[in-house]
Amino acid sequence: MTKLATVITTSLLEIWAHKLRSLLSFLTMAIGVGAILYTFAITEGTSQRMKKAMAIAGQGRMEIGPKRGGDYKSKGLSPGLTLNDAKAIRSAFPELAMVSPEIERWGAGFIYKDFKDGSLAARGITLEWAKRDWGYTTRGRFLNQTDIDTAARVCVLIEPGRWLKKPWWIKRWASRKDDFNSWIVRRDLLGKNVIIGNEMFLVVGIIQEPTREKDPRWFRGRWSWGDGLMPITTLMKSVTSRYDASDSPDKIDSIDIDTGNEETVSSYRKKIEALMRLRHRGEEDFEVFEYRERYADQIAEQKKTARATLLMGIICVLAGGIGIMNVTLATIYSRIKEIGIRRAVGASRSDIVLQFVIEAMLLGLLGGIFGIALGLLGINTFLKDIRWMDIATFHPIHFMAALTIAVGTGFIFSIWPAWMAAKLDPVEALRYE
Amino acid sequence: MTLVHCENITKIYNNSFAALDQVTLAIEDGEFISIMGPSGCGKSTLLNILGLLDTPTGGRYRLEGQNASDFKDSRRTLWRRKKIGFVFQSFNLLPRISALENIMLPMTYNGLLRKSAAQKARFLMKLVRLEGKEANNPLQLSGGEKQRVGIARSLANDPALILADEPTGNLDSKSGAEILELFLDLNRQGKTIVLVTHDHNIAAKTKRIIKLKDGRIVE
């Protein structure tokens, strides 16, 4: 133990005596360790976030939409995705937790007195819409069955969730201070008449999203410039809000389904696909995708990025290791005489090896500590603004792994030079000037 | 008791140059021997072999009755640590650590606890009359003081044999005389000392003088 303490003291003295050289040698290492730590934190954070989002969205979610890719040409047999499809699914499987058809009209346009906004999305929905991951607080009322049945000109506006603490990039990004989202939070439109897509609607309710920090749905990439919900029947009648007047007035954009249970998704998917094919007279003009798949895709995407960062980190750590090796060699060459003296007064070969290996490991440790600082700094700089997403999750094990990698690299890359030093002939070494 | 017994020790470099040629030498416990001879006569080589830093290419070297010429590196290191003390002409102190820590070095390699090593090193500093300079860096010491530290270091593990290679070579005559006095003191206390020197005055004070020439003992 005494020996080890002495060795460590000597090493620290030596490192301190060559501050710049030591710093340079572990800088690369530090960058690598930082990158590795960053990767660990993000990978962990992402998967946790996904799980949370999955749990909130509902376990058995899937969505039916028109065939994507745009090159599908109907043979004229299928009427396309219609409200009746949703009704058919609902009556065939009454046990489903949610069958929610929806029409989306992006950029429908919104006017209230002298405020105009062209980017509001009008969403035609049924009451089933509310069965999804509901986290809203309501003022006024939500839509009701009478609204749907009578295609009433009423709407419910979504007030965006507020920030507990607004990240700076949001402030900079959302440079439009006059957009719908920032406008509506400062108004109470309940009971007012507004114009959406050239038609007058009565605002019967306003639902407010939870604060952004607490809304893990956010990561699903749902970004909107403002939403107005209205009865699907109303939107279907409103010709002006459709892009293409030749479309069937029955046509809808999607059907959101929740089986209520993750295990039943696959079996219901098959049944629903069969039903849909039947209704579409054999045309495969629709597409079903499960939320699970979407999460899996996103996780895979994240993992790809993480792997690239990790690879970079490993390369940096290896480069750092070579740097440490280089410094160890330089140290040895500048201390040949010292090696001779130590051997003469009784240092064994393993003492010499220990001396240089410990010194390199300390360099690695310093690099590791530096790297952790760098990694935290990186996470703070690049991810601070999205911290509400819990994107970076730390585990003590990440720090330990990062340090172990750093120290281990110092060890591995110094063994050979240290052994070379130990093998020096003491007589030669003593004579060296 | 015969401490050192050399039988026909030969050291040949590069298969041609014989630094030592059939040297036979016995050193008794408690002797004070000086080795003299011109430069390149093999004095230092002999000292290195005696100190287990170097191995002879021929002959047999017995230390305390054991055949040390057959020792492997690890055993030679162990014996060098426990039984040999080196004193060098150029002192060979480590410049970055204090005088006290220089003296402690052989003891830490010997596995002594830091506290007891420091205690003993302090005692040795007193022995070589260097009290008060414990914390000094070797660079802050005079030549004579450095050599005292060197001697104290050589005594660290109570060696059976002290080997000094021109210990006064880099010192002025006054410091040189003081160092010699120290060696004589140590010898009186029973230490076996082998001292390489060019200085006849110094050699004259030792009990036995061995003259080397071209790798052979001539006297």
Side-chain angles (χ1 to χ4, degrees):
Chain A
M1 273 330 278
T2 314
K3 207 188 265 181
L4 198 62
T6 316
V7 167
I8 289 172
T9 321
T10 315
S11 303
L12 287 176
L13 278 171
E14 200 58 38
I15 289 170
W16 185 245
H18 305 282
K19 287 178 272 295
L20 186 63
R21 188 173 81 182
S22 309
L23 179 76
L24 289 177
S25 74
F26 66 63
L27 207 58
T28 329
M29 167 79 83
I31 292 167
V33 168
I36 290 176
L37 187 70
Y38 187 90
T39 317
F40 283 161
I42 288 187
T43 318
E44 175 80 18
T46 308
S47 71
Q48 280 194 9
R49 210 148 38 79
M50 299 271 178
K51 273 181 210 145
K52 217 193 258 176
M54 201 52 192
I56 287 184
Q59 301 293 314
R61 288 285 287 271
M62 63 180 119
E63 194 181 307
I64 308 172
K67 190 101 178 162
R68 275 190 293 183
D71 50 357
Y72 182 80
K73 284 271 187 297
S74 171
K75 297 182 199 105
L77 298 171
S78 164
L81 198 62
T82 62
L83 187 56
N84 286 333
D85 285 332
K87 285 178 180 159
I89 293 168
R90 182 33 101 196
S91 59
F93 310 109
E95 69 278 15
L96 288 175
M98 176 178 82
V99 179
S100 166
E102 187 171 333
I103 303 177
E104 286 174 356
R105 295 284 179 262
W106 295 92
F110 175 90
I111 301 172
Y112 176 73
K113 288 186 178 167
D114 55 351
F115 177 79
K116 277 187 189 173
D117 185 89
S119 47
L120 181 99
R123 296 173 184 278
I125 57 165
T126 66
L127 298 187
E128 299 255 359
W129 193 89
K131 291 179 179 172
R132 67 191 59 206
D133 37 341
W134 182 271
Y136 302 95
T137 40
T138 316
R139 294 206 309 279
R141 65 170 177 87
F142 195 65
L143 302 176
N144 59 31
Q145 194 55 48
T146 318
D147 295 335
I148 311 282
D149 293 343
T150 59
R153 293 197 180 279
V154 292
C155 73
V156 170
L157 295 177
I158 298 182
E159 199 177 302
R162 289 160 211 237
W163 297 99
L164 292 176
K165 190 166 165 255
K166 201 171 196 173
W168 63 265
W169 62 268
I170 288 280
K171 289 181 203 161
R172 208 162 296 177
W173 255 23
S175 52
R176 290 175 51 200
K177 284 276 184 322
D178 57 341
D179 70 349
F180 180 81
N181 277 341
S182 42
W183 181 81
I184 191 171
V185 295
R186 287 180 270 118
R187 302 283 183 301
D188 191 5
L189 295 181
L190 196 60
K192 302 284 194 307
N193 279 308
V194 298
I195 293 170
I196 296 173
N198 293 342
E199 298 189 34
M200 185 84 83
F201 288 87
L202 174 67
V203 180
V204 294
I206 290 172
I207 58 176
Q208 191 186 7
E209 288 178 337
T211 51
R212 292 278 153 101
E213 282 91 340
K214 289 187 179 149
D215 193 353
R217 292 174 301 173
W218 248 67
F219 104 93
R220 292 206 316 246
R222 240 196 67 214
W223 183 281
S224 104
W225 293 111
D227 288 304
L229 306 176
M230 53 198 63
I232 196 165
T233 43
T234 314
L235 206 55
M236 283 163 70
K237 279 186 184 166
S238 147
V239 181
T240 50
S241 63
R242 267 203 303 278
Y243 306 110
D244 188 352
S246 67
D247 270 359
S248 146
D250 265 354
K251 206 156 187 177
I252 58 171
D253 291 313
S254 63
I255 304 171
D256 230 337
I257 294 168
D258 187 358
T259 66
N261 185 343
E262 199 181 340
E263 277 86 58
T264 54
V265 174
S266 306
S267 63
Y268 272 115
R269 178 182 180 164
K270 282 196 201 95
K271 290 182 207 161
I272 288 168
E273 277 174 346
L275 177 64
M276 290 291 285
R277 266 193 292 274
L278 204 64
R279 290 186 52 81
H280 289 205
R281 295 180 197 148
E283 279 203 61
E284 193 84 41
D285 59 346
F286 61 92
E287 202 172 334
V288 179
F289 67 90
E290 299 167 29
Y291 273 45
R292 299 193 288 197
E293 288 172 1
R294 204 197 284 188
Y295 293 129
D297 285 352
Q298 286 188 17
I299 286 173
E301 196 64 34
Q302 282 280 351
K303 278 192 176 154
K304 219 186 276 173
T305 320
R307 260 199 295 275
T309 320
L310 192 67
L311 191 69
M312 192 197 90
I314 289 169
I315 289 170
C316 272
V317 164
L318 286 181
I322 292 167
I324 285 181
M325 192 174 192
N326 198 0
V327 158
T328 308
L329 278 173
T331 311
I332 287 165
Y333 280 122
S334 67
R335 282 157 71 188
I336 287 182
K337 178 110 180 167
E338 180 190 322
I339 295 166
I341 296 171
R342 286 179 184 276
R343 293 284 276 143
V345 302
S348 62
R349 281 184 177 163
S350 51
D351 287 329
I352 301 294
V353 168
L354 195 71
Q355 178 71 53
F356 291 106
V357 168
I358 292 276
E359 212 167 296
M361 283 166 81
L362 279 175
L363 276 178
L365 182 71
L366 284 174
I369 292 170
F370 231 73
I372 286 176
L374 256 154
L376 291 178
L377 193 77
I379 286 159
N380 237 335
T381 315
F382 301 127
L383 300 179
K384 190 169 83 190
D385 316 319
I386 32 181
R387 208 188 291 158
W388 46 274
M389 281 181 163
D390 298 328
I391 194 155
T393 310
F394 291 108
H395 245 285
I397 209 156
H398 293 161
F399 293 105
M400 271 158 54
L403 278 184
T404 311
I405 289 169
V407 175
T409 310
F411 174 76
I412 290 166
F413 279 87
S414 61
I415 283 277
W416 178 74
W419 180 238
M420 296 303 283
K423 274 201 338 203
L424 284 173
D425 176 9
V427 177
E428 294 285 326
L430 268 174
R431 216 178 279 150
Y432 191 87
E433 287 300 335
Chain B
M1 183 191 129
T2 309
L3 183 64
V4 168
H5 193 87
C6 297
E7 249 176 276
N8 304 321
I9 293 280
T10 304
K11 178 76 183 181
I12 298 175
Y13 287 113
N14 301 330
N15 293 325
S16 53
F17 172 67
L20 290 177
D21 190 5
Q22 308 272 333
V23 171
T24 297
L25 172 70
I27 301 173
E28 298 297 313
D29 210 8
E31 269 198 287
F32 192 173
I33 298 181
S34 52
I35 301 176
M36 296 192 72
S39 299
C41 69
K43 305 183 298 271
S44 296
T45 307
L46 179 60
L47 214 60
N48 287 339
I49 288 172
L50 292 179
L52 299 169
L53 271 179
D54 213 345
T55 45
T57 44
R60 190 190 277 188
Y61 171 37
R62 300 179 79 88
L63 181 63
E64 289 189 337
Q66 300 252 18
N67 189 355
S69 34
D70 286 349
F71 284 2
K72 291 214 163 46
D73 184 82
S74 56
R75 188 129 183 245
R76 272 194 291 140
T77 303
L78 194 71
W79 276 56
R80 182 161 67 233
R81 184 190 297 162
K82 290 182 184 294
K83 302 191 187 292
I84 310 282
F86 274 104
V87 180
F88 303 93
Q89 178 178 6
S90 51
F91 322 122
N92 284 345
L93 303 175
L94 296 185
R96 245 192 284 287
I97 57 179
S98 71
L100 195 76
E101 281 170 301
N102 264 290
I103 299 170
M104 285 163 65
L105 201 60
M107 296 187 256
T108 38
Y109 284 130
N110 204 18
L112 218 61
L113 285 179
R114 204 174 159 73
K115 208 174 147 194
S116 29
Q119 206 171 10
K120 184 159 182 200
R122 266 192 210 97
F123 165 77
L124 289 171
M125 290 217 48
K126 210 175 278 177
L127 190 78
V128 299
R129 294 187 283 282
L130 263 183
E131 301 106 308
K133 306 254 180 184
E134 283 85 353
N136 284 35
N137 197 291
L139 300 173
Q140 300 165 317
L141 298 173
S142 71
E145 289 172 332
K146 278 186 212 166
Q147 197 55 295
R148 284 158 196 265
V149 174
I151 292 169
R153 182 181 62 185
S154 76
L155 294 169
N157 289 333
D158 294 315
L161 181 62
I162 292 173
L163 303 170
D165 194 354
E166 302 199 35
T168 58
N170 280 4
L171 301 177
D172 58 83
S173 53
K174 184 169 169 278
S175 314
E178 284 169 7
I179 293 297
L180 181 66
E181 223 21 75
L182 202 54
F183 277 119
L184 288 168
D185 259 357
L186 290 172
N187 180 243
R188 276 193 284 275
Q189 288 163 30
K191 289 281 173 202
T192 313
I193 300 170
V194 177
L195 188 147
V196 167
T197 184
H198 273 117
D199 191 331
H200 287 279
N201 297 330
I202 288 175
K205 299 216 171 157
T206 61
K207 291 175 183 166
R208 178 149 71 116
I209 301 175
I210 290 167
K211 287 197 174 155
L212 269 181
K213 199 181 175 199
D214 298 330
R216 287 169 178 275
I217 294 179
V218 290
E219 249 184 80

